[in-house]
Amino acid sequence: MTEPTDPAVEADEPETPAEADDPTAESPADAESETDFEGPRRRARREREERRAAQARATAIEEARREAKRRITGAPSTKKTGRGTVRGLKVLMWTALISVIVVGLGLLLYFTPVMSARNIVVVGLGALTQDEVTNAVAVEPGTPLLQIDTDTVAERVAAIRRVASVRVQREYPSTLRVTVVERVPVVVKDYPDGPHLFDRDGVDFAIAPPPPGVPYLDTQNPGPNDPPTKAALEVMTSLRPEVAAQVARVDAPSVAAITLQLTDGRQVVWGTTDRTEEKALTLGALLTQPGQTYDVSSPDLPTVK
């Protein structure tokens, strides 16, 4: 008869020799000790990384909270001022400061006699006198230069009939310069009150004895808008200087019948003002020939009689 097997004896079977002698088997104690081993450098690095990660998470959470609060309250977003913004603010500040300085300096020069008209210099005078032009300038000594309207001063000087053109300039610190160009007589015409001088534009600018070499004008109504006068002046200004000096009188009854009387009694038939430059060149060569009447009304077929 077989004896029953004891369960306790079966549960407590001894380890096999293979399991007891296996050198590669790792005990729980060995695994725990290997996991816990960590050098001081590695531990410090790990702690730093953990702190940074925690700080980043905290910052993100705080920013998210602030942004949510801004959206709820409608407050404007506050961001750090960038370097470019700071530079722009500095430029704006310096620009404003320079503008204030310039405006202040301008006000100082405009309202104070620091730079005032203490000298009035007039250049280009011929027949006119210094007093005539200075009186027309009409600027009180000591007037700040910036308060002087140079255009207005130029208009006052230009009102003098002998003045053809004028330029007024401020010369700092204390000078007002007036440059005058006087009218030059081209022809003269006798009137009951005396000889009147006319410039190249037909302006009657003075009553005075004519300078030597200025021819007399014989026309009905001389003036800047009179066609015969303009035709006669066009002829005179086209002549070469040595030829113009020989002209004693210009007859211009019309624009188509201009004649020149020379100082030695010879006569030049000019005709119209067509091809004036060609006629002037032809006359210069023609006067070298003997004769009494020189006809250049047709410059292609000039004649001498």
Side-chain angles (χ1 to χ4, degrees), residues 1-304:
M1 192 173 170
T2 304
E3 294 181 0
T5 304
D6 189 354
V9 174
E10 292 180 356
D12 292 336
E13 290 181 357
E15 295 178 352
T16 61
E19 292 179 351
D21 297 336
D22 187 1
T24 61
E26 184 176 275
S27 67
D30 293 339
E32 183 178 357
S33 63
E34 183 176 345
T35 303
D36 292 341
F37 178 76
E38 186 178 27
R41 284 179 144 182
R42 185 175 299 175
R43 183 183 304 111
R45 189 182 303 115
R46 177 175 55 77
E47 290 176 353
R48 284 197 301 270
E49 291 176 354
E50 289 175 354
R51 285 197 299 270
R52 288 174 184 171
Q55 186 175 3
R57 287 195 299 272
T59 303
I61 293 171
E62 181 65 19
E63 287 294 331
R65 187 185 66 78
R66 291 180 181 178
E67 185 64 26
K69 185 178 180 180
R70 282 194 295 267
R71 291 178 181 176
I72 295 173
T73 59
S77 177
T78 56
K79 296 182 179 179
K80 290 185 178 181
T81 304
R83 185 175 300 177
T85 304
V86 174
R87 187 181 298 111
L89 291 175
K90 288 182 179 180
V91 171
L92 182 61
M93 181 185 68
W94 280 108
T95 302
L97 180 61
I98 294 173
S99 299
V100 170
I101 294 174
V102 170
V103 171
L105 183 61
L107 293 175
L108 177 68
L109 297 179
Y110 189 85
F111 290 105
T112 66
V114 174
M115 291 187 179
S116 58
R118 291 186 285 271
N119 301 311
I120 298 178
V121 177
V122 182
V123 296
L125 296 177
L128 291 172
T129 65
Q130 177 86 18
D131 291 340
E132 287 179 282
V133 178
T134 303
N135 292 336
V137 169
V139 172
E140 291 293 332
T143 303
L145 289 176
L146 289 178
Q147 292 187 18
I148 299 174
D149 188 340
T150 55
D151 291 337
T152 301
V153 174
E155 289 176 1
R156 290 199 292 263
V157 177
I160 302 174
R161 292 192 65 81
R162 274 191 177 272
V163 175
S165 64
V166 60
R167 183 182 183 188
V168 180
Q169 300 170 281
R170 304 183 190 94
E171 291 187 350
Y172 296 97
S174 59
T175 301
L176 188 68
R177 176 177 289 271
V178 182
T179 304
V180 173
V181 177
E182 295 186 7
R183 298 185 186 275
V184 178
V186 177
V187 294
V188 61
K189 183 173 176 61
D190 281 329
Y191 282 91
D193 59 348
H196 287 226
L197 304 180
F198 293 80
D199 70 352
R200 62 184 300 141
D201 297 320
V203 176
D204 181 358
F205 66 90
I207 301 175
V214 176
Y216 281 83
L217 174 65
D218 187 4
T219 188
Q220 189 68 28
N221 298 303
N225 298 319
D226 179 53
T229 301
K230 293 197 295 185
L233 293 171
E234 182 180 348
V235 171
M236 286 303 303
T237 54
S238 70
L239 297 176
R240 291 188 296 182
E242 62 273 15
V243 176
Q246 301 179 48
V247 180
R249 180 178 295 273
V250 183
D251 296 325
S254 68
V255 295
I258 300 173
T259 59
L260 308 177
Q261 304 293 330
L262 304 186
T263 55
D264 57 5
R266 292 182 293 177
Q267 184 182 56
V268 177
V269 178
W270 193 275
T272 68
T273 54
D274 295 338
R275 303 173 66 182
T276 296
E277 296 296 332
E278 296 180 43
K279 292 179 181 180
L281 292 174
T282 301
L283 179 61
L286 208 62
L287 288 177
T288 60
Q289 302 179 20
Q292 189 64 28
T293 302
Y294 299 83
D295 190 340
V296 293
S297 57
S298 177
D300 295 328
L301 296 171
T303 60
V304 179

